[in-house]
Amino acid sequence: MPSSEDQEFSCFKPLSTVLKSLHTAHRRFGLPWQILCRYQNIWNISLQLRPSFLAAIIMDSDMEEYREKVGGDQRIQVPTKGIYGFNSYLEKLRKQEYMKNELQYLGKFCQVPIEIPRDLRGVLIDKGSLNAMRFLTSVHIEYPEMLEKVSRELWMRIWSRDEDITEPWSIQAAAEEAGFSRKQAMSLLKKSSTEEVKNKLRENTNTAYKYGAFGLPTIVAHMDTKPCVFFSSDRIELLAHLLGEQWQGPVPQALKGKL
Amino acid sequence: MANLPRKLELFYDVLSPYSWLGFELLCRYQNIWNINLQLRPSFIAGIMKDSGNKPPALVPRKGKYMMMDLQHLKNFYQVPIRIPKDFLTVILEKGSLNAMRFLTAVNMEKPEMLENVSRELWMRIWSRDEDITEPQSILAAAEKAGLSKEQAKSLLENSSTDKVKNKLKETTSAACNYGAFGLPTIVVHMDNKPCVIFGSDRMEMLAYLLGEQWQGPVPSAVKGKL
């Protein structure tokens, strides 16, 4: 179900693929996001970033399962902070242990400077990302050309330097590091708590959910008018194959030496 | 002096379609990369129970996603996967205990046949939507793989001995001790430290860790033979 935005875009570039990457401050350091950014000028694609809220997607996905099991329309209130759900992978300690090791390998392989936060559970479950994602939504509305940079700076804080991303000054610091002036950053921060921004974040998150997302990152490739949905960073080679593009690994030639 | 091949253990269960993908990829690369591939038939239900995990298909959205994902992957990996009609019954009710006990028996008595028999069991359940739980189903797969009727019957008999049951438990525990919460789980022994990789979609990263070249899911040496 393409939005009017998609259709308009497809109209201007009928041969290219409109690729939406739905992402958030996520354990995989937005690996597919990073990789897609590297390929956006190599492949014939139009990459559209969609800041979304992971906790809500996981919760909705869990609730769907719960409803199918017990019936009825019960809706548990979406938590306002971190990731929480019946199927939360963090509850499965073994998966958590695995994740920590795997991220080290993936970081080296993809040349992304990942460092696991010391209090992983605290960061993902207690602190969460709502403020950060609202801020990115705000950036997306006002300065879409800055979205990639600010996203990257937020990731660097949480997933490379084990720094906070929930407090206003943390978010402001990331915004300034990305190139915003203090004034612009503060104005965007103020805007983040408006209904306009909250609704936009909900809208993006619901869109991801309607595409069948059960987690993030989720990539939706619009090819031949039918959307093709992929979850996680390990389907990009498959995506290349479906696009008829060449896969050069997570660090394509054009970028070697620049990372 | 040539480097010694790195030992790679592949823990798998024929109930898992992703295990089949991982299995085929590693079989293709075992004569290309400097590795010593060791197949470890395991019991996925045991691993799920031990780790507190559950099959992704039980989460409705993950189940739907999986169907779509497997359609793409079968073409990309060139593995003839076809989803069983009654997919949930096959996975949740019928299961794979007899099949994995049989493969454990094969591994103990005729390890050189393990690859072929495993493949034939996968072809039954995940390509032709055929049963793998009844004795006659397992015998059919064994004979198709090249075992004689007699050999197959003898292995089937062995599968219900304590020796084989314990061996399957042992292999499954070994996977759990490595931290497995699902299958396929690959354990690469490098520099004295085991490196554990989950899933069939980390092969390119595996190649990187081994210092080998990734040529996609269908390397040149194998093209045309599939």
Side-chain angles (χ1 to χ4, degrees):
Chain A
M1 44 138 285
S3 70
S4 57
E5 205 178 322
D6 303 342
Q7 281 165 345
E8 187 188 3
F9 201 94
S10 301
C11 202
F12 288 134
K13 287 192 181 183
L15 294 176
S16 80
T17 300
V18 174
L19 242 162
K20 291 167 143 195
S21 174
L22 298 151
H23 73 117
T24 183
H26 184 268
R27 63 182 168 94
R28 291 185 191 264
F29 196 84
L31 279 171
W33 175 90
Q34 301 272 22
I35 297 173
L36 286 173
C37 284
R38 290 171 187 168
Y39 276 95
Q40 66 184 319
N41 297 318
I42 300 176
W43 291 345
N44 186 22
I45 58 173
S46 162
L47 176 62
Q48 296 178 8
L49 305 179
R50 297 270 184 268
S52 318
F53 188 43
L54 180 59
I57 287 184
I58 290 186
M59 196 55 165
D60 279 343
S61 184
D62 288 353
M63 277 314 297
E64 191 180 54
E65 182 191 355
Y66 178 73
R67 270 197 293 275
E68 285 198 16
K69 277 190 179 140
V70 305
D73 265 305
Q74 288 295 322
R75 201 175 195 288
I76 290 177
Q77 186 169 8
V78 175
T80 53
K81 283 189 175 173
I83 298 164
Y84 185 91
F86 303 124
N87 301 313
S88 171
Y89 57 80
L90 280 191
E91 311 296 330
K92 316 290 190 284
L93 287 175
R94 204 173 285 180
K95 277 191 186 176
Q96 182 181 350
E97 273 315 299
Y98 173 78
M99 198 178 94
K100 285 185 193 165
N101 286 326
E102 191 196 48
L103 278 173
Q104 309 286 5
Y105 303 137
L106 278 175
K108 290 197 186 99
F109 175 49
C110 297
Q111 289 184 44
V112 173
I114 298 179
E115 291 292 336
I116 315 287
R118 259 159 309 149
D119 182 13
L120 185 60
R121 198 191 147 79
V123 163
L124 284 172
I125 292 193
D126 302 326
K127 296 179 82 179
S129 62
L130 187 58
N131 293 339
M133 296 322 295
R134 280 180 177 160
F135 186 78
L136 285 179
T137 304
S138 192
V139 172
H140 191 206
I141 293 173
E142 303 269 329
Y143 296 95
E145 71 283 5
M146 292 294 287
L147 182 56
E148 188 182 321
K149 287 208 172 103
V150 186
S151 300
R152 187 172 286 117
E153 289 309 324
L154 281 167
W155 262 309
M156 287 296 288
R157 285 188 70 88
I158 175 180
W159 285 109
S160 199
R161 300 194 299 268
D162 197 4
E163 291 169 356
D164 173 73
I165 56 158
T166 61
E167 300 294 339
W169 45 92
S170 307
I171 295 174
Q172 202 168 310
E176 287 178 41
E177 188 80 33
F180 278 121
S181 71
R182 183 149 293 188
K183 213 165 132 181
Q184 286 169 319
M186 285 176 83
S187 155
L188 286 162
L189 203 51
K190 220 166 134 187
K191 196 180 163 78
S192 320
S193 44
T194 60
E195 280 311 308
E196 185 196 353
V197 168
K198 289 180 186 180
N199 287 336
K200 185 70 188 172
L201 180 58
R202 256 181 229 126
E203 199 185 292
N204 275 338
T205 306
N206 282 337
T207 305
Y209 190 66
K210 284 188 183 135
Y211 278 124
F214 48 83
L216 295 175
T218 292
I219 300 169
V220 182
H222 297 264
M223 295 186 290
D224 309 322
T225 73
K226 186 185 163 214
C228 223
V229 184
F230 303 94
F231 169 69
S232 195
S233 61
D234 34 42
R235 290 289 177 276
I236 303 193
E237 189 184 4
L238 169 65
L239 174 61
H241 168 80
L242 293 171
L243 289 172
E245 297 279 3
Q246 206 206 355
W247 172 243
Q248 301 177 49
V251 187
Q253 280 295 108
L255 281 155
K256 281 192 162 84
K258 289 185 190 174
L259 290 170
Chain B
M1 186 167 112
N3 288 328
L4 288 170
R6 273 74 51 95
K7 179 167 122 173
L8 229 89
E9 296 181 84
L10 171 65
F11 295 89
Y12 67 98
D13 184 323
V14 297
L15 197 63
S16 154
Y18 292 102
S19 285
W20 191 12
L21 293 173
F23 167 90
E24 292 297 355
L25 287 181
L26 286 176
C27 286
R28 289 169 193 170
Y29 275 96
Q30 67 182 324
N31 298 318
I32 300 175
W33 292 343
N34 188 22
I35 56 175
N36 173 10
L37 177 61
Q38 295 181 5
L39 302 177
R40 297 269 182 264
S42 318
F43 189 45
I44 194 168
I47 291 187
M48 293 282 172
K49 191 166 174 210
D50 189 78
S51 64
N53 194 11
K54 66 185 190 192
L58 282 183
V59 180
R61 311 205 125 221
K62 285 191 186 177
K64 285 188 191 116
Y65 177 78
M66 233 174 88
M67 300 296 124
M68 217 171 48
D69 191 40
L70 287 172
Q71 300 296 348
H72 287 141
L73 290 176
K74 80 169 192 207
N75 294 327
F76 184 44
Y77 285 21
Q78 290 183 45
V79 175
I81 290 184
R82 208 162 52 115
I83 317 281
K85 256 171 290 143
D86 192 0
F87 164 70
L88 285 174
T89 304
V90 166
I91 294 200
L92 301 174
E93 287 172 30
K94 296 180 81 179
S96 59
L97 187 55
N98 293 337
M100 296 321 295
R101 281 179 176 161
F102 186 79
L103 286 178
T104 302
V106 172
N107 199 18
M108 289 164 85
E109 309 248 341
K110 294 201 169 303
E112 70 283 5
M113 294 299 291
L114 182 57
E115 186 183 321
N116 284 357
V117 185
S118 301
R119 184 172 288 119
E120 288 310 325
L121 282 166
W122 263 309
M123 286 296 289
R124 285 187 69 90
I125 176 180
W126 279 106
S127 197
R128 301 193 299 268
D129 197 4
E130 291 169 357
D131 173 73
I132 57 158
T133 62
E134 300 294 330
Q136 55 264 25
S137 308
I138 296 176
L139 288 174
E143 287 175 48
K144 203 155 164 85
L147 288 166
S148 73
K149 197 157 273 188
E150 221 175 76
Q151 290 169 323
K153 278 201 168 125
S154 160
L155 287 161
L156 195 56
E157 255 174 57
N158 286 347
S159 324
S160 45
T161 60
D162 280 337
K163 189 171 174 205
V164 169
K165 289 181 184 179
N166 287 336
K167 182 70 186 170
L168 179 59
K169 276 192 197 115
E170 204 182 285
T171 307
T172 305
S173 283
C176 291
N177 289 337
Y178 278 126
F181 48 84
L183 295 176
T185 291
I186 300 166
V187 182
V188 190
H189 296 264
M190 285 191 303
D191 311 321
N192 304 318
K193 187 188 165 217
C195 173
V196 182
I197 295 176
F198 168 66
S200 56
D201 39 31
R202 289 272 181 271
M203 298 304 178
E204 192 181 0
M205 185 181 85
L206 173 61
Y208 164 81
L209 293 171
L210 290 168
E212 298 280 4
Q213 205 207 356
W214 174 244
Q215 301 178 47
V218 187
S220 308
V222 179
K223 277 187 167 88
K225 292 185 190 172
L226 292 170

